[in-house]
Amino acid sequence: MKKLLYIMLAGLFFACTKEEAGPATPSDLSNLTGEPRVGGVLLKWNKPADSNFLYVEVRYQRNDETRTVKVSRFTDSVLIDGLLNKYEYSFEVQAFNAISGSHAGGKVLAVGPIRPVRRPVAVAYLQDQLTKLTVTDPMIETYTQETSEGYKQNLVDGDRLTYWHTAWSANVAPLPHWVKISFAEAAKLGAIKYYFRNNNTQSGRPTQFSVETSEDGLTWTKQWTSQAGLSVTTPVTEERLLAFDKNYSAKFFRINIEASFNNTTWIALGDMSFHAMGEKITDLETVAEDNY
């Protein structure tokens, strides 16, 4: 019995001695790098082959305070965000082990100073704040164009009771048909308004638009395409608004009609007008500085 007690006491002594020795020194991380990101820095390192550590601690200075971020031992990178472009930041990275509140750190790696990438200026486009552009008959060309009726000047005369009609009696061509606008100087265009022709048929009403821009009127770049299947059931007395995803700036624009109700090879519209959307500009870096 005494022998068993001695063995138990000896085991307890050795266990306490081992615990008092503290955690083992962790294996070292290596090859720490830092890459600037928008409003932050991406830190990367190489883990040791044996992964003999519990977690990784990242330290850096912000507002004259040391910030600490703990990272899982199963990862080899971390994005530190919420930083400002006007400052440079230095970082320390260190592996740790811990037992019963006692910590043992490995080799400290350091990188920096690193300046984060500046946040962009964001533009919100306001569909409820439109500026109508002056567009007259001499400024537009149409493809195709019916020669017996529906002349192009009717499209921009401000009268919904007149109408424009693409070719149906001769020189009929498949869609897309387009309206080309030529400005003397670069203009911003972000929305169109239009009326359907003042009749009872829905055939020939546009169901999809796209927008192209050009600087010379010859080489075109498609910038935006609307959703397909636009409604054609709006009353002819109601003006429709089609806003693009943003304002586009160019000297030449083509408003393409990509598809029509009943898949007609002709288009008819009562009127069309051209608009720039209001713009709300926000410097996101300045906002971040105000909330730093």
Side-chain angles (χ1 to χ4, degrees):
M1 185 68 178
K2 289 183 178 181
K3 184 175 181 181
L4 178 59
L5 179 61
Y6 289 147
I7 292 174
M8 293 175 63
L9 290 173
L12 179 62
F13 171 78
F14 285 119
C16 292
T17 301
K18 184 176 181 181
E19 185 171 313
E20 290 173 359
T25 300
S27 300
D28 291 330
L29 309 175
S30 61
N31 296 329
L32 174 64
T33 61
E35 301 175 4
R37 292 289 188 270
V38 174
V41 173
L42 178 64
L43 300 174
K44 296 180 179 180
W45 56 85
N46 290 344
K47 297 187 299 181
D50 57 15
S51 296
N52 180 30
F53 61 96
L54 186 62
Y55 64 90
V56 173
E57 185 174 281
V58 178
R59 299 181 292 272
Y60 64 99
Q61 292 292 119
R62 173 174 163 167
N63 289 336
D64 297 324
E65 297 179 356
T66 299
R67 297 293 181 95
T68 301
V69 177
K70 290 185 178 180
V71 183
S72 166
R73 70 187 183 94
F74 298 107
T75 188
D76 59 2
S77 64
V78 64
L79 176 64
I80 306 298
D81 57 9
L83 308 180
L84 299 181
N85 170 259
K86 69 178 183 179
Y87 297 133
E88 292 183 327
Y89 299 84
S90 296
F91 302 87
E92 292 183 348
V93 174
Q94 186 178 16
F96 277 89
N97 273 325
I99 295 178
S100 300
S102 179
H103 297 76
K107 179 181 177 181
V108 176
L109 302 181
V111 66
I114 302 171
R115 187 181 301 277
V117 177
R118 195 183 195 283
R119 293 169 178 82
V121 174
V123 182
Y125 296 94
L126 309 176
Q127 300 180 21
D128 60 346
Q129 297 181 19
L130 300 179
T131 300
K132 185 177 180 179
L133 306 179
T134 299
V135 177
T136 58
D137 174 38
M139 298 170 61
I140 67 171
E141 299 175 31
T142 57
Y143 174 83
T144 60
Q145 178 61 55
E146 173 59 29
T147 57
S148 65
E149 62 167 332
Y151 305 114
K152 69 183 181 73
Q153 57 264 35
N154 295 342
L155 189 64
V156 292
D157 64 359
D159 184 355
R160 70 173 184 84
L161 298 180
T162 63
Y163 64 91
W164 166 63
H165 209 301
T166 63
W168 60 266
S169 63
N171 299 318
V172 178
L175 302 184
H177 295 171
W178 46 253
V179 179
K180 175 184 173 183
I181 312 111
S182 301
F183 292 98
E185 297 179 352
K188 287 185 177 181
L189 179 63
I192 60 171
K193 290 184 176 182
Y194 59 95
Y195 287 96
F196 295 133
R197 182 182 175 182
N198 190 45
N199 61 6
N200 293 324
T201 180
Q202 294 180 354
S203 295
R205 294 181 180 180
T207 58
Q208 186 174 37
F209 289 85
S210 67
V211 178
E212 293 179 302
T213 60
S214 174
E215 293 306 313
D216 58 8
L218 301 173
T219 302
W220 296 89
T221 300
K222 183 171 286 189
Q223 301 287 7
W224 176 82
T225 302
S226 77
Q227 69 182 60
L230 295 173
S231 173
V232 297
T233 59
T234 303
V236 293
T237 56
E238 183 176 322
E239 189 175 37
R240 292 184 59 85
L241 168 65
L242 182 65
F244 312 155
D245 60 331
K246 59 179 284 186
N247 286 328
Y248 291 96
S249 180
K251 287 185 65 176
F252 303 93
F253 290 89
R254 280 203 309 217
I255 308 301
N256 300 311
I257 300 168
E258 300 280 355
S260 67
F261 187 74
N262 279 343
N263 297 315
T264 59
T265 56
W266 49 266
I267 297 295
L269 284 172
D271 203 70
M272 182 178 286
S273 57
F274 309 89
H275 304 261
M277 290 187 287
E279 297 181 1
K280 181 180 179 181
I281 299 174
T282 304
D283 187 333
L284 297 180
E285 188 70 21
T286 300
V287 173
E289 289 177 5
D290 292 342
N291 294 282
Y292 190 65

